């Protein structure tokens, strides 16, 4: 199976000069865990995840001696908290390769790029859905094959 068959699309991206607040609203509003980050020309320059954004909002609390969620005095930009460089794949990449990358690199999602265009996102959840759907298709094909054989064996050619 290729990445194009399992990826989510269309893709919502965020620019590197956007605020972490805007990125957080995009993530929570769409139920994503990460967004591809682009520059002003639309080229992929990074990825911003929930934990990247939380790091951008967490400040030490000197009274409690532990961290607390707090908006920084100057809101950070996505470019300041994103992960870069970012791993990516092409639409024709084998999903088995994507699984190995995700496991080896401990990442949850991969942008899918065609040239300079971001055409999809491939997440662990996408891969699980694709695996389940493929199992259903394989099962349906096998049942159809067995039914066809049974019809052939019971048909009387005379």
């Amino acid at each position: 199976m290729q990445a194009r068959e399992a990826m989510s699309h269309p893709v919502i991206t965020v620019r590197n000069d956007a605020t972490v607040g805007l990125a957080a609203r995009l993530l929570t509003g769409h139920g994503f865990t990460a967004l591809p980050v682009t520059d002003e020309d639309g080229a992929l320059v990074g990825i911003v995840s929930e934990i990247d954004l939380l790091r951008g909002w967490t400040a030490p609390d000197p009274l409690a001696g532990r961290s607390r969620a707090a908006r920084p005095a100057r809101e950070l930009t996505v470019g300041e908290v994103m992960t870069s460089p970012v791993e990516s794949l092409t639409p024709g990449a084998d999903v088995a390769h994507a699984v190995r990358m995700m496991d080896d690199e401990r990442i949850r999602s991969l942008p899918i790029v065609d040239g300079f265009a971001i055409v999809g996102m491939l997440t662990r959840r996408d891969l699980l859905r694709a695996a389940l759907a493929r199992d259903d298709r394989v099962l349906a094909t096998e049942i159809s094959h067995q039914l066809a054989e049974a019809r052939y064996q019971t048909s009387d050619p005379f």
Side-chain angles (χ1 to χ4, degrees):
M1 179 181 298
Q2 295 180 334
R4 72 171 49 88
E5 298 172 75
M7 69 184 189
S8 297
H9 59 88
V11 181
I12 295 176
T13 63
V14 65
R15 283 204 12 198
N16 59 348
D17 57 357
T19 64
V20 294
L22 172 63
R25 286 189 292 282
L26 286 171
L27 282 179
T28 59
H30 293 282
F32 301 144
T33 60
L35 292 170
V37 181
T38 62
D39 62 14
E40 57 279 351
D41 297 324
L44 180 66
V45 294
I47 193 162
V48 66
S49 67
E50 293 166 321
I51 196 65
D52 294 330
L53 296 174
L54 287 170
R55 271 191 232 107
W57 254 315
T58 303
D61 182 351
L63 299 176
R66 53 191 147 148
S67 295
R68 65 175 171 83
R71 194 173 207 107
R74 177 188 67 80
E75 191 164 20
L76 298 172
T77 65
V78 170
E80 293 174 283
V81 299
M82 71 182 184
T83 300
S84 181
V86 61
E87 299 283 347
S88 64
L89 291 173
T90 62
D94 187 339
V95 295
H97 178 66
V99 170
R100 281 191 304 277
M101 281 180 69
M102 289 177 171
D103 187 31
D104 292 347
E105 303 294 326
R106 300 216 181 281
I107 52 180
R108 297 177 186 265
S109 57
L110 289 163
I112 306 300
V113 296
D114 189 3
F116 290 106
I118 304 166
V119 296
M121 282 292 283
L122 187 62
T123 67
R124 292 176 181 180
R125 186 169 297 143
D126 293 330
L127 292 168
L128 284 172
R129 276 192 205 115
L132 289 172
R134 184 180 178 114
D135 286 349
D136 289 346
R137 285 192 305 270
V138 168
L139 180 60
T141 301
E142 180 62 28
I143 290 169
S144 295
H145 179 69
Q146 288 180 6
L147 286 173
E149 280 185 12
R151 274 190 238 123
Y152 175 75
Q153 291 172 357
T154 60
S155 65
D156 186 359
F158 300 102

